[in-house]
């Protein structure tokens, strides 16, 4: 569940988020030799690579090219191959493309995407098993080797809607970090709940307002409190994002950081409180800042505003060790998200675990990079639609809140063998 674009009347996409296997590491030399042996039956042997020039061109963002069509034999080979047929997949059409058609290809620091790809390989997409074995072998390969391997092993497909539209929308989501108390007190009085016994996802239970008023609901929730926040708006934000990190003060006064992960909902429909406020002309923009300012000026009406969204999200607590703290929560694919390299997609258009080339240019960011489809959300609908995971904390929030800009996507799929 996520999306800081609160002015939208569509639900932000509450998700079930689900690192794992030890990474198989090799030296770059061993990785390259093994890869060539594995691929020799379907791809021509790799010729002597031409190193990228020291005076390689810069892209508009000032990045130096790692590979160019002139410097990469793999690029020349890949772009000379016959293109496969287009593919109709659910709500999308995949049209084969040349690597030279991918804006910014050759400039990306692919090693930054490799951790995200290794996460996806814990639960590989259908047909990606052999590819994932090679991904693991190339963990320590050079950027040029990784680029060359991608061009030889995968075929780009430009995504479009069935009607042919290739432009879509990119938004952002993040993992909030909040202070909390294990026990209620004068400063922390807003509870966050575990999933009550007997509540099943998809089956309507008590609404948010009924949970406040019904004795039966209150009895079911008693003892299910995980922690307490200071602000009901913080609790709402945590529920909309679907997970978060809590700096919890324990009863003995000690503090530690834990993660709250999505566990389920009360089965009620999501309604945007920003839309409720906008429709009544109580705020002029659907931002968290505007909502907080209104709530501070109208504390007596906050329960009324919250009741406009009948959906309640329940959580489970997860330990946040040194390794877990380097990644985000588990996405719908069941693997940990990587800041700047994980996206949420419409699963009817892009299978989980698919590597995707993403291009988006707008006021918040200029993005041309390799990302992995690892998450979803009920507001993430359509062929060219993605939510970009920005990480955690204030900087991640600022970027996520500002992302609402045009998007182009290319799925990278294994070549036929």
């Amino acid at each position: 569940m996520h999306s800081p674009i609160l002015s939208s009347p569509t639900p932000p996409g509450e998700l079930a988020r689900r690192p794992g296997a030890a990474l198989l590491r090799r030296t770059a030399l061993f990785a390259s030799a093994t890869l060539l042996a594995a691929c020799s039956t379907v791809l021509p042997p790799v010729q002597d690579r031409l190193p990228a020039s020291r005076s390689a061109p810069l892209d508009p963002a000032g990045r130096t090219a790692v590979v160019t069509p002139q410097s990469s034999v793999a690029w020349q080979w890949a772009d000379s191959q016959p293109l496969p047929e287009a593919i109709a997949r659910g709500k999308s059409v995949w049209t084969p493309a040349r690597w030279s058609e991918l804006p910014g290809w050759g400039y990306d620091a692919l090693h930054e995407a490799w951790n995200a790809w290794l996460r996806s390989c814990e639960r590989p997409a259908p047909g990606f098993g052999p590819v994932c074995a090679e991904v693991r072998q190339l963990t320590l390969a050079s950027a040029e080797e990784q680029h060359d391997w991608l061009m030889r092993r995968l075929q780009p497909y430009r995504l479009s809607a069935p009607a042919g539209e290739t432009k879509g929308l990119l938004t952002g989501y993040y993992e909030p970090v909040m202070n909390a108390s294990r026990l209620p007190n004068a400063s922390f009085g807003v509870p966050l709940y575990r999933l009550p016994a007997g509540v099943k996802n998809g089956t309507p239970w008590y609404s948010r307002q009924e949970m406040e008023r019904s004795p039966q609901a209150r009895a079911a929730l008693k003892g299910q409190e995980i922690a307490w926040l200071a602000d009901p708006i913080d609790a709402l934000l945590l529920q909309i994002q679907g997970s978060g990190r809590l700096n919890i003060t324990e009863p003995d006064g000690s503090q530690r950081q834990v993660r709250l992960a999505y566990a389920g909902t009360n089965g009620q429909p999501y309604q945007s409180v920003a839309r409720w406020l906008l429709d009544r002309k109580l705020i002029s923009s659907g931002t968290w800042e505007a909502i907080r300012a209104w709530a501070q000026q109208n504390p007596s009406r906050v329960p009324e505003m919250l009741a406009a969204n009948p959906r309640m999200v329940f959580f489970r607590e997860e330990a946040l060790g040194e390794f877990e703290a380097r990644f985000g929560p588990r996405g719908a694919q069941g693997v940990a998200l990587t800041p700047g390299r994980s996206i949420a997609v419409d699963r009817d258009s892009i299978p989980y675990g698919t590597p995707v080339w993403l291009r988006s240019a707008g006021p918040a960011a200029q993005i041309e990079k390799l990302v992995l489809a690892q998450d979803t959300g009920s507001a993430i609908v359509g062929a060219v639609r993605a939510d970009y995971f920005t990480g955690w904390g204030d900087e991640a929030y600022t970027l996520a809140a500002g992302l609402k800009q045009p998007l182009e996507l290319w799925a990278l799929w294994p070549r036929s063998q």
Side-chain angles (χ1 to χ4, degrees):
M1 146 187 59
H2 53 256
S3 179
I5 310 301
L6 297 182
S7 58
S8 170
T10 58
E14 284 138 339
L15 330 167
R17 306 187 189 276
R18 308 241 205 252
L23 303 183
L24 179 61
R25 298 187 179 273
R26 300 286 189 271
T27 64
L29 179 61
F30 179 79
S32 300
T34 305
L35 174 60
L36 295 179
C39 297
S40 60
T41 59
V42 294
L43 299 176
V46 178
Q47 304 172 33
D48 293 337
R49 292 186 175 86
L50 302 176
S53 167
R54 292 178 182 273
S55 58
L58 299 178
D59 72 348
R63 299 175 297 180
T64 303
V66 176
V67 296
T68 66
Q70 296 75 30
S71 71
S72 171
V73 173
W75 195 329
Q76 296 168 19
W77 173 84
D79 270 6
S80 70
Q81 300 305 296
L83 291 175
E85 297 293 326
I87 302 171
R89 187 186 295 275
K91 301 174 183 176
S92 64
V93 175
W94 293 23
T95 302
R98 302 292 186 188
W99 285 96
S100 53
E101 297 174 23
L102 274 58
W105 175 253
Y107 293 90
D108 190 19
L110 291 182
H111 68 276
E112 296 176 2
W114 230 251
N115 275 335
W117 205 341
L118 289 167
R119 301 280 76 76
S120 274
C121 284
E122 295 168 12
R123 297 191 176 192
F128 270 85
V131 172
C132 279
E134 298 164 21
V135 169
R136 295 185 182 99
Q137 292 165 357
L138 284 168
T139 299
L140 298 182
S142 69
E144 186 184 359
E145 287 174 315
Q146 291 174 343
H147 276 87
D148 280 5
W149 172 79
L150 271 163
M151 289 183 283
R152 292 179 176 277
R153 198 66 172 89
L154 304 182
Q155 168 65 49
Y157 291 85
R158 183 161 194 176
L159 271 68
S160 66
E165 180 57 55
T166 59
K167 301 291 179 66
L169 174 67
L170 180 69
T171 52
Y173 68 114
Y174 82 115
E175 186 177 26
V177 180
M178 299 176 177
N179 294 327
S181 173
R182 186 66 75 182
L183 299 176
N185 56 47
S187 298
F188 293 88
V190 182
L192 300 170
Y193 294 108
R194 299 179 186 86
L195 188 69
V199 177
K200 298 180 179 180
N201 273 326
T203 301
W205 199 60
Y206 298 101
S207 70
R208 181 186 295 268
Q209 189 174 48
E210 290 169 341
M211 290 167 62
E212 293 290 333
R213 299 179 177 179
S214 165
Q216 292 83 2
R218 299 305 304 163
L221 290 169
K222 187 175 182 179
Q224 299 303 315
E225 301 91 349
I226 298 176
W228 303 74
L229 298 182
D231 188 339
I233 305 302
D234 282 345
L236 178 65
L237 172 60
L238 192 66
Q239 292 174 16
I240 289 177
Q241 295 302 309
S243 68
R245 302 181 182 207
L246 297 186
N247 296 318
I248 290 189
T249 300
E250 300 288 359
D252 63 3
S254 64
Q255 292 186 330
R256 64 192 184 102
Q257 188 173 83
V258 302
R259 169 174 283 141
L260 289 196
Y262 176 95
T265 76
N266 59 349
Q268 299 289 336
Y270 172 85
Q271 299 294 331
S272 168
V273 299
R275 174 52 54 197
W276 186 86
L277 291 165
L278 288 166
D279 288 347
R280 288 158 180 76
K281 297 181 171 52
L282 299 174
I283 58 175
S284 58
S285 66
T287 65
W288 282 114
E289 289 75 12
I291 294 171
R292 287 185 189 280
W294 180 89
Q296 290 172 358
Q297 296 166 8
N298 301 273
S300 64
R301 297 195 67 185
V302 169
E304 178 188 4
M305 177 194 71
L306 294 176
N309 175 26
R311 172 166 290 192
M312 176 70 78
V313 173
F314 303 109
F315 299 96
R316 66 175 180 273
E317 182 176 334
E318 295 181 351
L320 201 60
E322 181 178 352
F323 181 79
E324 292 83 2
R326 293 165 46 202
F327 295 93
R330 292 182 181 90
Q333 187 190 0
V335 302
L337 305 178
T338 302
R341 296 291 177 169
S342 297
I343 59 171
V345 298
D346 186 335
R347 63 182 304 178
D348 289 334
S349 295
I350 307 176
Y352 295 146
T354 302
V356 175
W357 187 255
L358 181 153
R359 179 176 191 259
S360 180
Q366 310 294 311
I367 307 171
E368 293 173 343
K369 60 172 27 175
L370 179 67
V371 295
L372 278 296
Q374 298 177 323
D375 210 348
T376 194
S378 60
I380 313 305
V381 179
V384 191
R385 178 71 173 95
D387 221 10
Y388 182 78
F389 179 63
T390 61
W392 45 87
D394 293 342
E395 290 185 9
Y397 163 73
T398 300
L399 176 56
L403 277 175
K404 192 174 184 181
Q405 56 190 49
L407 172 68
E408 297 173 85
L409 296 175
W410 288 260
L412 308 182
W413 203 254
R415 294 182 182 273
S416 298
Q417 302 201 17

